[in-house]
Amino acid sequence: MSTEIPKPSVPAPDILRCAYAEYVVTDLAASRAFYVDVLGLHVTEEDENAVYLRSFEEFIHHNMVLRKGPVAAVAAMGFRVRSQEEVDRAEAYYRELGCRTERRAEGFVKGIRNAVRVEDPLGFPYEFFYEVDHVERLHMRYDLYSAGELVRLDHFNQVTPDVPRGRTYLENLGFRVTEDIQDEAGVTYAAWMHRKGTVHDTALTGGDGPRMHHIAFSTHEKHNIIQICDKMGALRISDQIERGPGRHGVSNAFYLYLRDPDGHRVEIYTQDYYTGDPDNPTITWDVHDNQRRDWWGNPVVPSWYTDASPVLDLDGNVQEIVTREESREMDVTIGADGFSYTRKPGDAMSGDPGEEVGFKMGHQL
Ligand code: XXG
Ligand code: FE2
């Protein structure tokens, strides 16, 4: 078991939100075609090495950078902080944690200056920034609005072997947990945590890591997600639809997971709930509740549990992956047929509609 991450004596930086991610892609033209032509993200700027993309309602330079490189990976997960002083705080905070940090006045990517990047204690490349170019916010450019429009960056999702360890680290950094998945023995399989008052800015998924599970963009409505499915069907790229569409249990959001040309996973997500009050209640789901990840009870495909993108260190090398020691959600929940209910008959709360289903399914097995 890995050691606990201490709480630094200096204050944590005031993080506003997850703001952008830098993805390394092996075929820039193919990735551009996916994110721009299929998903409709808007190009702020591009050159032969990189494409800078933003969502419909964004006013900062970008939410995603696609950078051409030899190995498909994630180079940075960017968080916007409240002021430039908060970038200094982030630097001091991670230095006290003993993490490698790098400050660049000119920024690491176009449109952002005076940023700090760190190799965080879980092995993820976090960036903290405030100074950023403002660009046209397209929110009322209905002349550009597509039927599957991606309107905001919503969250990141990170794979890490020891979820409670990561949770404590992120709580010390100022994140608040909104939901988690546990079993009867107290093993935590996943946790969702936020800064911006939604269900999450990032989530921890238990597994071999550090790896990036997905980046998620939101749409205004559920029908926008259905349109993305229809469009991908019409383009004959339905094999890039990995999971969904569906309704999540955790977060209550409507969702769809896609795989980009390099296999990086992107989630399309809409209509979770407000969590900004300090006493927002945390929801704990039983790992055996088969509606926790899909409210309609549809099974999660194995690739969703096993696949994720490598992350890079500050030199651009792939971070070494540490194996999860605790039990894996896929092993405790998916039967050979992929449809088995693992909640024991009678385990559901009385009055829970799942009780009857769990009972019936239990008899079928
Ligand atoms: O954003 C999310 C997710 O982390 O991608 C997955 C919200 C909920 C879920 S889950 O599959 O647990 O319903
Ligand atoms: Fe997600």
Side-chain angles (χ1 to χ4, degrees):
M1 187 64 89
S2 40
T3 52
E4 214 174 281
I5 299 159
K7 184 179 166 73
S9 61
V10 298
D14 186 352
I15 297 169
L16 297 170
R17 56 169 169 142
C18 65
Y20 92 95
E22 182 185 1
Y23 273 73
V24 181
V25 299
T26 58
D27 181 340
L28 190 57
S31 296
R32 189 191 190 284
F34 179 72
Y35 287 101
V36 178
D37 301 337
V38 179
L39 292 184
L41 285 172
H42 301 272
V43 179
T44 299
E45 178 167 357
E46 62 187 317
D47 57 33
E48 64 284 7
N49 293 317
V51 184
Y52 292 76
L53 301 168
R54 71 184 190 277
S55 54
F56 193 64
E57 296 183 353
E58 186 57 76
F59 71 92
I60 65 169
H61 188 264
H62 56 261
N63 300 125
M64 194 173 197
V65 181
L66 306 175
R67 182 164 58 77
K68 191 174 161 42
V71 181
V74 175
M77 301 164 66
F79 293 91
R80 187 138 197 251
V81 296
R82 190 169 295 281
S83 66
Q84 197 52 43
E85 290 69 54
E86 301 299 330
V87 177
D88 301 338
R89 281 191 164 169
E91 191 173 18
Y93 189 87
Y94 282 93
R95 283 212 176 137
E96 191 178 323
L97 279 171
C99 295
R100 181 168 170 206
T101 66
E102 189 179 337
R103 182 73 171 254
R104 281 199 201 164
E106 73 282 17
F108 296 84
V109 291
K110 287 182 180 172
I112 294 178
R113 290 164 300 285
N114 271 317
V116 67
R117 281 192 180 180
V118 307
E119 282 170 17
D120 90 350
L122 306 181
F124 289 92
Y126 272 15
E127 175 176 317
F128 299 92
F129 72 95
Y130 174 71
E131 287 180 23
V132 61
D133 289 349
H134 287 203
V135 291
E136 184 191 1
R137 179 177 239 162
L138 303 171
H139 68 304
M140 296 183 78
R141 291 290 307 273
Y142 291 109
D143 53 320
L144 301 177
Y145 191 83
S146 71
E149 192 69 28
L150 305 184
V151 296
R152 286 188 288 277
L153 173 64
D154 191 84
H155 62 264
F156 304 136
N157 188 306
Q158 316 171 217
V159 187
T160 194
D162 185 339
V163 175
R165 179 172 182 264
R167 174 186 184 144
T168 304
Y169 151 63
L170 287 173
E171 284 180 323
N172 289 341
L173 190 57
F175 286 82
R176 289 202 295 268
V177 175
T178 54
E179 306 204 21
D180 66 8
I181 296 177
Q182 298 188 22
D183 67 14
E184 60 285 2
V187 175
T188 304
Y189 294 87
W192 285 258
M193 50 205 75
H194 81 97
R195 286 293 302 173
K196 69 177 172 327
T198 61
V199 169
H200 53 322
D201 285 280
T202 195
L204 297 178
T205 298
D208 303 343
R211 291 182 299 157
M212 181 78 144
H213 193 273
H214 61 266
I215 186 171
F217 288 93
S218 51
T219 61
H220 282 143
E221 306 278 352
K222 297 185 279 292
H223 64 75
N224 306 118
I225 293 184
I226 306 291
Q227 158 64 14
I228 294 170
C229 299
D230 283 339
K231 182 172 178 178
M232 290 182 70
L235 293 170
R236 293 279 169 185
I237 53 170
S238 62
D239 55 334
Q240 285 179 251
I241 298 177
E242 183 187 39
R243 180 183 160 203
R247 165 82 66 192
H248 281 310
V250 173
S251 81
N252 189 38
F254 200 82
Y255 73 87
L256 175 70
Y257 295 96
L258 307 173
R259 304 293 290 271
D260 84 0
D262 279 295
H264 294 305
R265 183 181 292 104
V266 53
E267 180 180 14
I268 320 296
Y269 179 95
T270 191
Q271 297 167 359
D272 61 355
Y273 58 93
Y274 168 72
T275 62
D277 284 18
D279 55 348
N280 180 72
T282 304
I283 299 172
T284 292
W285 292 78
D286 178 355
V287 74
H288 300 295
D289 183 340
N290 280 31
Q291 291 181 221
R292 75 199 179 289
R293 288 198 176 273
D294 184 285
W295 188 238
W296 308 332
N298 284 320
V300 177
V301 289
S303 64
W304 192 90
Y305 285 118
T306 56
D307 298 0
S309 303
V311 299
L312 301 183
D313 66 17
L314 296 186
D315 296 319
N317 299 315
V318 170
Q319 279 282 13
E320 198 181 314
I321 290 166
V322 177
T323 307
R324 176 174 168 88
E325 286 172 12
E326 288 174 301
S327 55
R328 291 165 192 266
E329 187 169 339
M330 187 171 92
D331 299 336
V332 298
T333 57
I334 297 189
D337 57 4
F339 285 89
S340 302
Y341 270 65
T342 56
R343 185 165 53 180
K344 291 187 208 77
D347 260 9
M349 285 183 296
S350 71
D352 180 341
E355 184 173 22
E356 199 193 332
V357 180
F359 182 76
K360 276 194 201 140
M361 291 295 288
H363 271 272
Q364 280 171 14
L365 294 175

